[in-house]
Amino acid sequence: MANETQKSTKPSNFIKEIIDEDLRNNKYNGRVHTRFPPEPNGYLHIGHAKSICLNFGLAKDYNGLCNLRFDDTNPSKEEVEYVESIKEDIKWLGFDWGDREYYASDYFDQLYEYAIKLIKKGKAYVDSSSFNEIRESRGTPTEPGKNSLYRNRSIEENLDLFQRMKAGEFKDGEHVLRAKIDMSSPNMNLRDPVLYRIKHESHHRTGDKWCIYPMYDWAHGQSDSIEGITHSICTLEFENHRPLYDWCINELEIYHPQQIEFARLNLNYTVMSKRILLELVKSKFVNGWNDPRMPTISGLRRRGYTPESIRNFSERVGVAKRDGVIDVALLEHSLREDLNKRAKRVMGVLNPLKVIIDNYPDDQVEELNAVNNPEDESMGKRKLPFSKIIFIEKDDFREDPPKKFYRLAPGQEVRLRYAYIIKCESFSKDPKTGEITELHCTYDPETKSGTGTSNKKVKGTIHWVSAEQAVEAEVRLYDRLFSSEDPTGDKEKDFKESINPDSLKILKYCKVEPSVKSLTTDDRFQLERIGYFCLDKFDSKEDALVLNRIVSLRDTWAKIEKAQQRK
Ligand code: ATP
Ligand code: MG
């Protein structure tokens, strides 16, 4: 139920309830300060978009602030390319971090000082066990771990070794710094977690200054504290890390943000693991991170998604405390809803069939009036050329029409959108392939759309383009990348087996009406009766148009909703 005292028109959720409560108790002096903390080790995906909308959205709703913080603690996997793409994606989604662009690596000095403080309190020690020894002594969820041989080193020895780790005196893996908490804690995260490891590697920002790097769990909570974050929102898998973050902050006696966990966004027919997305890119199953089939923000952008549709989707799915799977049809529904309002309608023929209108004057070209968007009168009208030779969709003609086929067939009539009613008089066929190559039709001059001079009625209306003025285009029909609902769900099967072999179909010689030439790569348009399209940002050229299908017109979500309402 919506909270009636709330000012915002958006529905409430459990995170907002916590914030409201904190505001009532003046917990952070009325401040709301969130952050979005990506690790720059890949491109952002729709799950990150959810987190971005949530964190930046809360800051906006409460007149607060949201920081962008790169969690760049692992030099081996991180790259500047990713940093740049992440910034571009967040901006495109419509959010702004102002001058608050931070990096966990900016806190390396401070984190080192914090580590020294723990050592001095006897709360951290240098462990010289091997990686395997440490792993084996951790125990299992049901069995306690074993104390390390090095657990009782003196504070002096720990300080000396840690400083020498930093000075580069040791090789990778020779020592680590561990928190001294409790090897028999039922929470595995509290069994003396590793805080620092030695890595002789250059970092994309700090260069060769450091050869010890903080672990994520050590950097994360303290970074939130340093930035004065009030509500540190993260996904559920960090719930049992919270006691560790609390422990660190209490031992360091520093400012304490509040962590709140919510369920990560999962979508059916979609994978969001960065590891798998990287694999798809590296093994060339897709053409890069921004392939329009990818669930990455850059892929969705290139596909033609609007930021509004993603923000609306994110609002619709809300926040949950338990993991679940959202139907990807809901994302597509949010997209169609937005495109329906904004997309200019144009006509285009994907599989052209030539039609000659025998009784139409040879050299005549008429300029017909066409409505740009029936949903929005302010988008106006455009002129559409009509002439003796046109193209229609191959599918819109049948030599032997089934019952209720209200399009063209021998002797049958159909309306051409915005133009006339035509009748099919004859057709020619390729004798070898049996393919229909050409239709001969006649038109009824009295039936021009919008004139009201004839009351002849036909059941079907089809789209068309005038042959001479039409522009040729390549059309890329994108479909879901995976044909299975849960592509990584079956552990016996490689996720690659679930890749949809028809996720991309390229049609080369499509014909679109001439007005498409004047559109920009920011425009989204509807090819009437076919779907929503945009010009491909990278490959479309003025004299060689490339169209991406954003989404088809068929709205499976709307159907699901209707069915639910009927129940
Ligand atoms: P990994 O840590 O495995 O590389 P990640 O998806 O957690 O992957 P991060 O860069 O750490 O990547 O994520 C940045 C933020 O986005 C985190 O706060 C994380 O909780 C959030 N996030 C990531 N995936 C999702 C998702 N599917 N739904 C909601 N939030 C997500
Ligand atoms: Mg992460």
Side-chain angles (χ1 to χ4, degrees), residues 35-41 44-48 50-51 55 71 216 220 233-235 237-238 262-266 272 274:
R35 84 289 173 265
F36 173 65
E39 183 180 350
N41 62 351
L44 298 181
H45 53 59
I46 182 73
H48 296 115
K50 166 73 220 178
S51 176
N55 281 295
D71 246 316
Y216 176 84
H220 192 76
I233 297 163
C234 61
T235 42
E237 68 271 25
F238 291 101
F262 75 106
R264 63 172 48 232
L265 172 71
N266 298 308
M272 283 190 232
K274 279 192 213 163

Side-chain angles (χ1 to χ4, degrees), residues 110-130:
Q110 177 70 72
L111 291 168
Y112 179 78
E113 291 309 319
Y114 285 155
I116 298 280
K117 183 167 176 180
L118 283 192
I119 296 173
K120 284 185 176 164
K121 284 180 83 173
K123 298 289 181 180
Y125 61 98
V126 172
D127 195 338
S128 311
S129 312
S130 71

